[in-house]
Amino acid sequence: STQSTWVPYKVGKFPYAANSRAKTNHDAEGFVKVITNAATDRLLGAHIVGSNAGEAIAEFVLALEYGAAAEDIGRTCHAHPTMAEAVKEACMAAYDKPIHA
């Protein structure tokens, strides 16, 4: 049971309201949230609420499959202005280096 194996975690969250593409598209409702292991920064899960979630989740799926850390995504180049930047910003917030949050 996962309840018996509690893991200390951190949460990084980024609102679409702070994303340039979302504001330009008048679609700024929603957010990206990432959950990481507090000790290792490894991704444990992610939530995306809002438009483009179906496309943006693919980055998290790949990262989870290969055991990536939030910093791995945060240090990866993301084009500007794109909705994908919200994924990067949420990851950067998880390891205490947010730019726009």
Side-chain angles (χ1 to χ4, degrees):
S1 164
T2 57
Q3 291 179 350
S4 63
T5 58
W6 187 82
V7 175
Y9 64 91
K10 293 178 76 174
V11 174
K13 190 171 179 182
F14 188 76
Y16 276 5
N19 178 272
S20 297
R21 178 57 63 111
K23 289 191 285 189
T24 301
N25 291 344
H26 303 288
D27 201 5
E29 290 187 34
F31 62 89
V32 176
K33 180 169 73 171
V34 62
I35 302 162
T36 64
N37 182 305
T40 66
D41 192 43
R42 186 174 177 170
L43 292 175
L44 299 175
H47 304 264
I48 303 175
V49 175
S51 69
N52 207 46
E55 293 177 21
I57 198 70
E59 185 169 6
F60 283 127
V61 171
L62 182 66
L64 285 163
E65 178 66 24
Y66 288 98
E71 187 172 0
D72 294 330
I73 294 174
R75 289 183 175 267
T76 303
C77 181
H78 288 71
H80 174 78
T82 62
M83 296 297 281
E85 286 180 293
V87 170
K88 174 182 178 140
E89 292 279 356
C91 287
M92 291 175 73
Y95 68 93
D96 302 321
K97 301 281 187 211
I99 294 175
H100 299 102

